[in-house]
Amino acid sequence: SQQGEEDPQALSIQEGENATMNCSYKTSINNLQWYRQNSGRGLVHLILIRSNEREKHSGRLRVTLDTSKKSSSLLITASRAADTASYFCATANFGNEKLTFGTGTRLTIIP
Amino acid sequence: EADIYQTPRYLVIGTGKKITLECSQTMGHDKMYWYQQDPGMELHLIHYSYGVNSTEKGDLSSESTVSRIRTEHFPLTLESARPSHTSQYLCASSRSGTGNTIYFGEGSWLTVV
């Protein structure tokens, strides 16, 4: 089964609002990454947070990591129509070089 | 911008045909992957390689096969395509080591009729 589970599965918000997506995982991780996928395209890496970090920022993106709860959140501030995409979290586990992807959140920004 | 390329982007073929999806990367990455993804669904790892002459089955069983004769090239072959193989196939690569960023190609959409 997938390591990461995103919540919600789908999210629709008005342009300009903030979007928050959550990811839960099951085992200890080396790092956690967020990827974006536009419809019909490949995935693009957004941000990586290591297990010893609690928060990371990149432009309008803010990622938090709570290893005690085995969860992470991705916040997109001041959303734009171009942010419409699916967002996946991926975990890197110790001793396993493969990333494990979650189920994804489909984000729709309404102009 | 990722330097990983997949061809063809779209392919419609008849049942029983043999097809090869091409994937090449120019980043010198040792690790390469093939994922299968149905529309709007999660990704499933079907094959991976840690270097030349190294190939492993992924988490999802697949009737496809792969080869890694050159570092930059990781083709996927279906000997006899079936409608159940209709899906998007995503090729990806990364540097060796744990938890490195994965770079994806644009995907190959396969439809078997």
Side-chain angles (χ1 to χ4, degrees):
Chain A
S1 63
Q2 292 290 332
Q3 163 79 317
E5 296 284 339
E6 274 98 334
D7 171 56
Q9 287 188 320
L11 177 64
S12 292
I13 61 172
Q14 293 289 332
E15 191 168 20
E17 293 180 341
N18 295 341
T20 299
M21 290 157 270
N22 302 296
C23 170
S24 60
Y25 56 92
K26 296 175 183 173
T27 60
S28 296
I29 61 171
N30 175 290
N31 67 56
L32 185 145
Q33 303 176 32
W34 285 91
Y35 288 78
R36 165 197 169 120
Q37 183 181 34
N38 287 353
S39 181
R41 308 294 291 273
L43 280 74
V44 176
H45 179 259
L46 294 176
I47 196 166
L48 180 153
I49 186 165
R50 302 190 187 285
S51 59
N52 61 353
E53 296 175 311
R54 292 296 166 259
E55 188 170 314
K56 204 159 182 181
H57 296 254
S58 176
R60 293 185 295 114
L61 305 180
R62 173 179 166 247
V63 169
T64 62
L65 179 65
D66 187 335
T67 53
S68 67
K69 294 182 179 177
K70 291 186 169 61
S71 68
S72 172
S73 67
L74 170 67
L75 168 68
I76 303 174
T77 60
S79 63
R80 305 167 182 169
D83 293 329
T84 294
S86 290
Y87 292 82
F88 293 86
C89 69
T91 53
N93 306 109
F94 290 104
N96 185 349
E97 291 198 26
K98 295 177 289 176
L99 284 184
T100 303
F101 285 85
T103 52
T105 292
R106 287 189 301 280
L107 175 65
T108 302
I109 307 301
I110 303 165
Chain B
E1 195 73 20
D3 294 320
I4 180 164
Y5 308 99
Q6 291 186 240
T7 57
R9 284 276 284 134
Y10 303 94
L11 180 63
V12 181
I13 62 169
T15 298
K17 297 292 186 184
K18 176 181 178 179
I19 62 109
T20 296
L21 303 179
E22 301 288 348
C23 177
S24 295
Q25 52 96 4
T26 59
M27 296 173 282
H29 288 167
D30 287 325
K31 293 163 70 174
M32 295 190 75
Y33 316 82
W34 277 103
Y35 290 86
Q36 185 176 344
Q37 183 187 32
D38 292 331
M41 303 297 286
E42 60 199 284
L43 286 81
H44 294 284
L45 180 66
I46 53 174
H47 298 284
Y48 62 98
S49 166
Y50 286 164
V52 172
N53 294 325
S54 151
T55 61
E56 301 286 345
K57 294 283 190 182
D59 304 319
L60 179 69
S61 176
S62 173
E63 294 168 342
S64 58
T65 59
V66 292
S67 63
R68 189 88 183 275
I69 299 172
R70 301 198 315 267
T71 298
E72 62 271 21
H73 196 214
F74 192 41
L76 180 146
T77 298
L78 274 167
E79 290 292 335
S80 180
R82 295 205 302 270
S84 61
H85 297 139
T86 295
S87 189
Q88 181 183 26
Y89 294 84
L90 291 163
C91 181
S93 71
S94 71
R95 292 184 292 112
S96 291
T98 299
N100 286 313
T101 298
I102 293 183
Y103 297 87
F104 284 83
E106 291 292 340
S108 291
W109 284 95
L110 174 64
T111 302
V112 184
V113 298

